[in-house]
Amino acid sequence: MKRLLPLLLILPQAGFRPAPLPPPMPQDGPVRVALVDRDRGTELRSYPADGQRWVAGERGHRYAVRLYNDSPRRVLVVLSVDGVNAISGEDADPSQTGYVLNPGQRADITGWRKTQDEVAQFVFSSPSGSYASRTGRPDNVGVVGVAVFEEARRWYPRPQPILRGRAGPAPASASASAEASAAADASASRIEGYSAKSQAPALGTGHGARESSSVRDTDFERATRSPAQVLQLRYDSARNLRARGILLDSPSRLDRQPQAFPNRYVPDPPAR
């Protein structure tokens, strides 16, 4: 029997504020990924080292995974945080449920999905306090990854509305399933092997306070059984990154572009 997976369409948030796009990182595929420190209100810069991209987080700060769909078509993004699917809580695998982004959409995923209207915030925590460690899965703490699928082309006589419902990928043959499994195992081996030869991570992702975040089910047919793109970001404390020889820019040295309208909302009046 064909397994049906819930695929979630991200809805625009109330009070959504578009932000200038950062310079694109060199990536082959339709999606860009960044981490955002929500307490500072800044997109965290990533730094290359040992064939990976590294981000410096700060313990106790809330963060979001920012997704940019730079393509003219819808895409499905399966999101893994510390090796755990951020929607289902399963050990992450590309075949699982994910988020659907519309063409050109930017979306901030702010936490572990609890319902269609609520998430538990992503918070930089100690490795032992991370959700993955607390559920007995500490091996991949310190990495955020996405598997991106393009949508199969459909030819309609007229534009179609987005329907509520559930859909999953086409059934895979035994050989295709084995190939996907081997690719996932190889990816996990790369992550675990890198962790084994480096110092212990100082950060993980905790299961924070609940907050509103609305999505809904949608139909999505994957164009291929294997992801069109797989990306990952490693994160750790600034101290650990410097210990690895990664030179970090201080916030005061980061380039800031002039803003025509820097004040977004009405401030409170001075206290009497």
Side-chain angles (χ1 to χ4, degrees), residues 20 35 49 52 61 81 88 128 137 182 232 235 239:
L35 300 188
Q52 304 215 28
H61 282 213
V81 176
S88 68
S128 61
R137 297 170 290 182
Q232 70 176 37
Y235 66 89
R239 180 178 180 179

Side-chain angles (χ1 to χ4, degrees), residues 4-85:
L4 300 181
L5 300 176
L7 304 175
L8 303 180
L9 180 70
I10 301 171
L11 302 177
Q13 299 176 356
F16 171 74
R17 297 176 296 164
L21 296 180
M25 296 193 309
Q27 296 175 170
D28 297 326
V31 169
R32 286 180 290 132
V33 180
L35 300 188
V36 179
D37 186 318
R38 299 176 64 197
D39 291 322
R40 293 186 182 277
T42 57
E43 186 168 296
L44 299 175
R45 179 168 293 187
S46 65
Y47 301 87
D50 300 314
Q52 304 215 28
R53 305 290 304 191
W54 290 86
V55 172
E58 189 168 343
R59 188 176 296 188
H61 282 213
R62 301 169 303 153
Y63 80 89
V65 181
R66 179 164 290 174
L67 305 173
Y68 295 93
N69 178 12
D70 293 329
S71 76
R73 298 171 61 187
R74 294 202 314 171
V75 295
L76 168 65
V77 180
V78 181
L79 174 60
S80 168
V81 176
D82 293 349
V84 179
N85 186 301

Side-chain angles (χ1 to χ4, degrees), residues 72-195:
R73 298 171 61 187
R74 294 202 314 171
V75 295
L76 168 65
V77 180
V78 181
L79 174 60
S80 168
V81 176
D82 293 349
V84 179
N85 186 301
I87 295 176
S88 68
E90 301 171 279
D91 291 345
D93 186 273
S95 65
Q96 295 165 348
T97 185
Y99 289 104
V100 175
L101 273 64
N102 286 318
Q105 183 177 4
R106 188 196 83 178
D108 285 356
I109 310 302
T110 59
W112 306 99
R113 176 66 45 190
K114 307 304 291 186
T115 69
Q116 286 197 334
D117 298 305
E118 196 174 47
V119 296
Q121 296 170 351
F122 292 143
V123 181
F124 288 124
S125 69
S126 66
S128 61
S130 67
Y131 176 75
S133 292
R134 291 173 63 189
T135 55
R137 297 170 290 182
D139 291 343
N140 293 305
V141 168
V143 61
V144 173
V146 297
V148 182
F149 293 84
E150 297 179 331
E151 189 169 23
R153 291 186 180 274
R154 296 183 179 183
W155 304 102
Y156 294 118
R158 61 179 183 276
Q160 298 294 299
I162 296 175
L163 304 177
R164 296 184 67 86
R166 296 173 179 268
S173 65
S175 60
S177 298
E179 181 181 347
S181 176
D185 291 342
S187 177
S189 297
R190 286 196 298 273
I191 296 172
E192 292 170 4
Y194 192 85
S195 298

